[in-house]
Amino acid sequence: GWGSDAYSNFRGVLNVIAACVALILPVPLVLWLGLSRAVIVQVAAVAILSAAAGLTLPNWQGDTAFMIYEGAIYALSLSGMITLITWAMRICNPAVAATQFALFMASANFARSIYSANSGFLIEMGGYSATYLFMTATSVIGLLLCLLARVGDEQLVTNHDD
């Protein structure tokens, strides 16, 4: 029920807040969990939050729940993408890094493209809850792919030449 001015203002503020979160959050997560686990945790968090939003949306009273869910999902998505870019750079083979990295980024952005292409259809067929549940499904697929990758699980190793 928002007008375009109110929604534009909300998205503008949200973009700034999400950028600040994405600037700070990946560093402690990577240091604490490791690079691949940090990606997995953030993708899982997006899946959980979008599932919660999709399942509870009919019970929302006012704008507060929307603003909280949308803010958390967007900030985690942006932070997760930054961490995913770092992970992809780290596991690329230097001999084919440009091509391999391009493929990693294309596959990571594929879910966004699918979501964007189908959002109008989803809203018509199942309301706004359907868009959150579709986001959950694409996040779970991404999560499974990250879990199957089994690359980049290295721990910080120090080389002591004594």
Side-chain angles (χ1 to χ4, degrees):
W2 288 9
S4 54
D5 286 347
Y7 186 73
S8 295
N9 288 338
F10 169 71
R11 287 308 286 194
V13 171
L14 180 59
N15 285 341
V16 171
I17 293 169
C20 291
V21 169
L23 184 66
I24 297 166
L25 182 62
V27 174
L29 272 181
V30 169
L31 290 173
W32 183 44
L33 300 170
L35 188 53
S36 64
R37 286 182 194 92
V39 171
I40 290 166
V41 164
Q42 290 174 99
V43 173
V46 169
I48 291 166
L49 284 171
S50 59
L55 295 172
T56 63
L57 188 134
N59 301 322
W60 292 358
Q61 300 293 321
D63 301 338
T64 306
F66 167 75
M67 292 166 56
I68 291 169
Y69 276 120
E70 195 67 20
I73 290 169
Y74 185 64
L76 279 168
S77 296
L78 188 57
S79 177
M81 187 56 122
I82 289 169
T83 312
L84 184 66
I85 289 168
T86 306
W87 189 25
M89 288 174 143
R90 195 112 192 259
I91 63 178
C92 283
N93 180 338
V96 291
T99 302
Q100 192 175 17
F101 184 74
L103 290 172
F104 280 136
M105 292 302 97
S107 62
N109 285 307
F110 189 59
R112 281 185 191 258
S113 299
I114 291 172
Y115 177 75
S116 296
N118 290 298
S119 63
F121 169 76
L122 290 167
I123 292 168
E124 286 180 20
M125 296 304 291
Y128 288 103
S129 291
T131 62
Y132 283 113
L133 296 175
F134 188 75
M135 185 185 306
T136 302
T138 56
S139 296
V140 168
I141 291 168
L143 178 61
L144 292 174
L145 291 173
C146 288
L147 290 170
L148 291 172
R150 306 213 20 109
V151 187
D153 286 334
E154 75 284 340
Q155 296 295 319
L156 292 175
V157 178
T158 56
N159 185 3
H160 297 287
D161 293 325
D162 295 328

